[in-house]
Amino acid sequence: MSTELVRGRFAPSPSGRMHLGNVASSLVAWLSAKSAGGVVVLRIEDLDRGRCTREYAEQIARDFERLGLCWDEGGLYDGYLQSGCDDYYLSVLERVAAKAKVYPCFCTRAELHTASAPHASDGTPIYDGRCKRLSTAECERLLAERPAALRVEVPDREYSFDDRRLGRISQNLARECGDFVLRRSDGIFSYQLAVVADDIRMGVTEVVRGRDLADSTPRQLYLYELLDAPRPEYLHTPLLVAPDGKRLSKREKSLDLGKLFEISTPERIIGELAWRLGIIDRSEPVTPTEILGEFSREKLVRGDVTIDEREVLEHIGR
Ligand code: GLU
């Protein structure tokens, strides 16, 4: 058995108040790391300066504390806010470029989203690599005209991992994903690059996050390989979906923590989620610490969790 200290993380994007779905994956991340005697790092994923704010980041930190999801390291400090780490991401990008072909891409959003483009399972178009075929002269001419994104070429190979809830997941990067962006044309580093760069730097051994991000994992594994870093374990948590099958998002304010705290308590919210995720047998007020001993990955429900808003509000209202 490995004696390595488990290092999990919370990696919220402060583009709005957390909703029940965010709390559900954070709860599993916390229980998984803590039940193994590990620690949780809080990293703020505020790469997108246009959508993220300091106020939301502070709110998220307060909400975690109020819910009893206390982290051990990180927070709103230098090195744990992605918005302040550009120099580091640039150095990682250079290391990637030393191992794989990284090239400028001038395609506009509209060009990428043509109806004829094949789409990956997460809905993004599979890039056909057209900018890779530009001559040096053409590339230079275009670079003088407009800023370019940077893409990394992917191999025609399967990248696989054993998810701790979903089992084996594989993706052929060339066929199912295509060359992907490491840095956007506005200079912002991509989620794929930053998340891997930070998980490596922070020594994260266990990545627990929503199932919607499982599709990103093979791309991230490729970056781990190029960077010659050990990959973490993965557990992708059930999504919370409305009865119509749509994922709950920050746009639906009714189940965000601001609204929920008006009618409920942290213990009731945690209890309801732990029950719906399969961790405890009934919905009752509990703190995360109280259910640490009950947690095991095998208990987690297999499918997504359908949330009928009215029913949840009735359950957890005081
Ligand atoms: N920042 C991402 C989010 O809030 C999570 C990224 C990750 O866990 O890899 O959805």
Side-chain angles (χ1 to χ4, degrees):
M1 215 174 98
S2 159
T3 51
E4 187 186 50
L5 178 70
V6 171
R7 288 174 63 84
R9 40 65 151 197
F10 295 150
S13 301
S15 59
R17 189 109 187 221
M18 284 198 284
H19 59 78
L20 267 192
N22 304 124
V23 180
S25 55
S26 305
L27 175 63
V28 178
W30 191 90
L31 290 170
S32 182
K34 290 289 177 179
S35 64
V39 297
V40 176
V41 181
L42 171 58
R43 173 173 79 233
I44 306 294
E45 302 216 321
D46 57 351
L47 279 176
D48 191 336
R49 278 78 152 176
R51 291 179 53 228
C52 298
T53 69
R54 173 93 192 172
E55 288 68 36
Y56 279 132
E58 287 169 0
Q59 180 79 262
I60 288 170
R62 279 199 301 274
D63 284 341
F64 276 138
E65 279 174 347
R66 192 162 169 192
L67 290 162
L69 295 171
C70 296
W71 62 96
D72 305 279
E73 187 186 312
L76 279 74
Y77 299 108
D78 283 354
Y80 295 94
L81 291 156
Q82 288 191 326
S83 55
C85 295
D86 278 1
D87 290 348
Y88 171 61
Y89 301 139
L90 185 59
S91 71
V92 173
L93 178 82
E94 283 165 358
R95 282 172 56 205
V96 169
K99 287 283 203 65
K101 186 177 174 70
V102 172
Y103 60 93
C105 171
F106 301 92
C107 294
T108 61
R109 207 168 253 278
E111 281 163 347
L112 295 172
H113 281 81
T114 54
S116 60
H119 284 64
S121 51
D122 65 358
T124 50
I126 298 175
Y127 188 57
D128 63 7
R130 72 186 85 161
C131 287
K132 196 161 47 183
R133 296 186 284 272
L134 293 174
S135 67
T136 315
E138 252 172 320
C139 228
E140 274 164 16
R141 185 181 61 77
L142 286 166
L143 272 175
E145 272 173 25
R146 49 180 147 141
L150 289 175
R151 284 184 190 269
V152 62
E153 182 178 46
V154 297
D156 185 3
R157 247 183 61 198
E158 297 276 332
Y159 279 77
S160 313
F161 65 103
D162 291 310
D163 186 270
R164 287 173 161 175
R165 184 178 70 96
L166 299 168
R168 190 136 187 101
I169 296 184
S170 297
Q171 209 179 65
N172 177 298
L173 285 186
R175 273 183 270 139
E176 295 172 68
C177 164
D179 299 350
F180 61 93
V181 173
L182 298 179
R183 191 174 193 175
R184 294 175 4 187
S185 61
D186 60 5
I188 293 186
F189 290 94
S190 73
Y191 157 68
Q192 309 294 354
L193 180 93
V195 81
V196 169
D198 280 337
D199 281 335
I200 292 174
R201 182 167 58 104
M202 294 173 188
V204 168
T205 62
E206 174 176 282
V207 169
V208 179
R209 59 186 174 194
R211 180 185 65 71
D212 53 323
L213 289 169
D215 275 340
S216 288
T217 305
R219 270 170 277 180
Q220 295 174 12
L221 293 177
Y222 174 49
L223 293 179
Y224 276 96
E225 182 183 280
L226 292 173
L227 293 164
D228 208 10
R231 45 159 88 174
E233 299 282 345
Y234 290 94
L235 191 170
H236 289 91
T237 59
L239 292 187
L240 268 49
V241 295
D244 65 3
K246 288 215 188 89
R247 180 156 68 96
L248 299 183
S249 80
K250 285 180 185 159
R251 282 179 287 279
E252 284 142 65
K253 292 266 183 271
S254 58
L255 292 173
D256 85 13
L257 282 177
K259 286 278 171 353
L260 293 177
F261 282 145
E262 280 172 21
I263 60 143
S264 189
T265 64
E267 292 78 16
R268 277 176 183 261
I269 296 170
I270 294 291
E272 175 78 8
L273 284 175
W275 169 62
R276 289 185 178 262
L277 289 164
I279 301 164
I280 57 178
D281 295 338
R282 61 197 165 94
S283 179
E284 59 183 341
V286 289
T287 64
T289 307
E290 282 165 357
I291 56 171
L292 255 184
E294 310 229 15
F295 178 76
S296 77
R297 290 176 207 119
E298 293 69 38
K299 281 186 172 176
L300 291 171
V301 293
R302 296 284 133 204
D304 286 339
V305 173
T306 303
I307 292 280
D308 178 63
E309 194 179 312
R310 252 204 353 240
E311 189 189 283
V312 170
L313 297 180
E314 266 167 31
H315 259 180
I316 65 174
R318 308 181 229 255

